Amino acid sequence: MTTEPERVRADKRAAQIARCIEADIVRRGWPVGESLGSESQLQQEFRVSRSVLREAVRLVEHHQVARMRRGPNGGLLVCAPDAGPATRAVVIYLEYLGTTLTDLLNARLVLEPLAAELAADHIDESGIQRLRAVLRAEQQWRPGLPAPPDDFHIALAEQSKNPVLQLFIDVLMRLTRRYARMSRTDSADQAVEAAHQMRGDHADIVAAVTSGDSARAKTLSERHVEGVTSWLQRHRAPAGRAQAGRRARTDLVAPRGKLAEVLAANIADDIAADGWQVGSVFGTEAALLARYRVSRAALREAVRLLEYHAVARMRRGPGGGLIVAKPQAQASIDTIALYLQYRQPSREDLRSVRDAIEIHNVAEVVARRSEPGVVAFLDPRSWTHLADGGDVRRAAVDEFRFHVGLAELAGNAVLDLFLRIIVELFRRHWSSTGQAQLAWTDVTAVEHAHLRILEAIESGDDSLARYRIRRHLDAAASWWL
């Protein structure tokens, strides 16, 4: 009989092998359809038992990175993943954090106008038809009918041709739908009026995008998100009703495929609906089998997926059961970064989203400059290392620490996580391309830029702080890319 420590070691080994397989696929350039080897070959390569290898393959299949095909000419075949597991991991983590309506809407205000601007720059005939089809579906909607099948904001983000922006806006819209369900309208007439206003805004944005007027598309998008913000805040449900809405299943689309993946999605939804009580027993194995009406094998595979994403863990013995865990940001970051590596965003894709977030962050930190955490961050002694004898590696770490620190101080959990994902993509780019060592003149320039940004923040000069962070991001592009 396998003991608990043995099972934990096997699970950790399987997770390590899964990460090795995924890294190998990225190094190979994601050759969809290519075989990475048969089961026996992979066993020999990683020197593990069949059970450990199969567990690793399950995790790889969950990320839709590769799938095992049995029989002649079989093996572990590289797949083209969809965004489902990536967006799901991020939404689960943000659900756990208890993302506020203010954070969500501010994130939309930062990213959606950028999507509209880029869409106007990149729109083509097929994109125009796609957006107009969404408008037609919206025109046919009436209260009481299911929501239109295509979401306008996601369709617009697709036309930006920026895969990072598309994925982030997908996450934002899933969270927005949650808040929309918890909102209230005083009458059916109000619902019709809101829908009419929404359709009008969308039509105006599409007209600006179609004509290639990027400035107007951006401005109209900003006004639209501000209108949505005002409506949601006016119609926010009372506290009791909001709590009831939270206990409804969250709007997370269950991944297609095996029963265990769908089951893991449903259990995660229900943990979130129960308020994410970390450390509590969500249910014994017997209770979960009865509740979800599945086989023991399917439940145990679902639990392994939940453990992999730090959603919950199974504890055996008396008083045991599925224990609600504290999700880790890194699990979400790794999952979404892996998917974006498949999409292969360009340097400009990463830069445009990063710049929008960072310029917003620095303005928010200016507004919070008197808070103790910001005051400590502004201390120049924390950022002066020129006397360290030329420690270039420390300077590189400080560059990322500076930007992530600003994101934390800005106080928007959504944008903080998004920036960390972008930083992770840059880190993976560095490790995979053998980035050249930085020169000491680079270190001097970056440190000087940090200090000047901090000076502008401390003095409360919002416009100067924005200017300096923008100049710094342009100058430090070679560090990041």
Side-chain angles (χ1 to χ4, degrees):
M1 180 177 177
T2 303
T3 65
E4 184 71 11
E6 288 172 339
R7 187 187 69 81
V8 171
R9 284 195 296 271
D11 287 350
K12 287 183 178 178
R13 180 62 176 143
Q16 290 170 351
I17 292 170
R19 286 193 290 270
C20 287
I21 291 172
E22 291 167 352
D24 185 41
I25 290 171
V26 173
R27 281 194 299 270
R28 294 183 185 210
W30 218 294
V32 174
E34 184 176 304
S35 175
L36 301 176
S38 67
E39 186 175 73
S40 60
Q41 289 171 333
L42 292 170
Q43 271 186 259
Q44 292 175 6
E45 178 182 346
F46 293 107
R47 300 179 182 178
V48 292
S49 66
R50 177 175 295 175
S51 62
V52 171
L53 178 67
R54 288 185 173 180
E55 179 60 27
V57 169
R58 287 190 188 98
L59 296 174
V60 171
E61 288 178 333
H62 175 61
H63 280 162
Q64 299 181 357
V65 171
R67 61 182 175 82
M68 184 62 79
R69 185 172 68 188
R70 311 293 176 184
N73 302 317
L76 190 61
L77 305 181
V78 179
C79 294
D82 64 39
T87 54
R88 180 167 187 76
V90 174
V91 172
I92 285 175
Y93 179 70
L94 291 173
E95 174 74 20
Y96 160 72
L97 288 182
T99 303
T100 67
L101 179 61
T102 300
D103 281 356
L104 169 60
L105 293 171
N106 281 343
R108 287 187 59 180
L109 195 55
V110 170
L111 297 181
E112 288 191 49
L114 174 61
E117 179 182 24
L118 292 175
D121 289 338
H122 295 103
I123 197 67
D124 54 22
E125 288 281 349
S126 63
I128 293 170
Q129 295 307 313
R130 167 88 167 103
L131 291 175
R132 288 181 173 178
V134 173
L135 291 181
R136 287 194 296 271
E138 289 183 347
Q139 292 290 341
Q140 295 168 2
W141 181 84
R142 296 292 182 273
L145 295 177
D150 287 314
D151 187 282
F152 171 80
H153 300 275
I154 293 174
L156 184 63
E158 289 172 357
Q159 305 315 311
S160 74
K161 305 298 190 287
N162 184 318
V164 182
L165 202 52
Q166 292 173 39
L167 203 60
F168 288 175
I169 288 177
D170 189 359
V171 170
L172 294 176
M173 295 314 301
R174 289 172 188 264
L175 290 168
T176 299
R177 285 194 289 271
R178 169 194 161 198
Y179 277 102
R181 281 201 311 276
M182 293 191 297
S183 64
R184 57 175 176 79
T185 53
D186 296 331
S187 67
D189 289 342
Q190 277 193 337
V192 172
E193 181 183 352
H196 178 74
Q197 180 65 47
M198 175 194 71
R199 289 194 294 262
D201 288 351
H202 291 177
D204 290 343
I205 294 169
V206 170
V209 167
T210 300
S211 67
D213 191 339
S214 57
R216 179 167 172 76
K218 182 178 182 181
T219 299
L220 290 173
S221 179
E222 288 172 348
R223 291 176 184 171
H224 173 59
V225 176
E226 288 169 352
V228 170
T229 299
S230 177
W231 189 92
L232 285 173
Q233 289 175 338
R234 285 199 315 271
H235 296 90
R236 185 179 296 184
R241 181 169 174 178
Q243 182 64 21
R246 179 177 175 80
R247 293 194 177 279
R249 176 157 292 175
T250 54
D251 187 26
L252 301 176
V253 178
R256 299 174 184 171
K258 295 193 299 184
L259 173 60
E261 295 181 358
V262 177
L263 178 58
N266 288 339
I267 293 174
D269 290 351
D270 291 338
I271 287 173
D274 281 349
W276 218 294
Q277 302 173 42
V278 174
S280 67
V281 178
F282 181 71
T284 64
E285 185 174 76
L288 295 172
L289 288 171
R291 176 173 180 175
Y292 294 101
R293 300 179 183 179
V294 294
S295 68
R296 180 173 278 105
L299 176 64
R300 289 184 174 178
E301 187 173 343
V303 167
R304 285 193 287 269
L305 294 175
L306 294 169
E307 290 175 334
Y308 183 68
H309 288 290
V311 173
R313 59 183 176 82
M314 185 62 79
R315 185 172 65 197
R316 310 294 176 184
L322 190 64
I323 310 299
V324 178
K326 179 181 180 180
Q328 302 299 313
Q330 196 60 44
S332 302
I333 292 169
D334 288 343
T335 302
I336 206 165
L338 179 64
Y339 172 75
L340 286 172
Q341 284 183 292
Y342 162 71
R343 293 292 306 275
Q344 298 181 334
S346 68
R347 294 183 176 191
E348 186 55 37
D349 289 336
L350 292 168
R351 284 187 62 180
S352 63
V353 180
R354 179 202 63 183
D355 289 3
I357 293 174
E358 296 236 43
I359 292 167
H360 167 82
N361 285 344
V362 79
E364 291 296 310
V365 175
V366 169
R368 295 168 170 241
R369 64 188 180 279
S370 60
E371 296 179 5
V374 178
V375 172
F377 187 86
L378 295 176
D379 187 344
R381 291 173 296 183
S382 301
W383 304 103
T384 305
H385 302 304
L386 293 179
D388 288 351
D391 190 345
V392 173
R393 288 177 299 179
R394 178 170 179 177
V397 169
D398 274 354
E399 165 66 354
F400 291 110
R401 185 168 66 90
F402 181 82
H403 294 278
V404 171
L406 286 175
E408 290 177 349
L409 293 173
N412 187 311
V414 181
L415 293 177
D416 182 8
L417 183 64
F418 286 174
L419 184 64
R420 288 173 184 271
I421 291 165
I422 293 173
V423 168
E424 175 64 18
L425 284 167
F426 282 125
R427 187 196 67 77
R428 293 185 182 201
H429 173 79
W430 269 45
S431 63
S432 64
T433 58
Q435 191 80 2
Q437 186 65 267
L438 302 170
W440 188 242
T441 53
D442 296 326
V443 174
T444 304
V446 168
E447 183 172 297
H448 180 65
H450 287 175
L451 293 175
R452 286 175 59 78
I453 293 165
L454 295 176
E455 288 172 3
I457 293 172
E458 188 173 23
S459 66
D461 195 331
D462 177 277
S463 59
L464 185 60
R466 290 175 189 246
Y467 167 79
R468 287 178 176 174
I469 191 76
R470 184 181 290 108
R471 288 291 301 271
H472 169 55
L473 291 169
D474 288 344
S478 62
W479 278 53
W480 289 62
L481 297 166

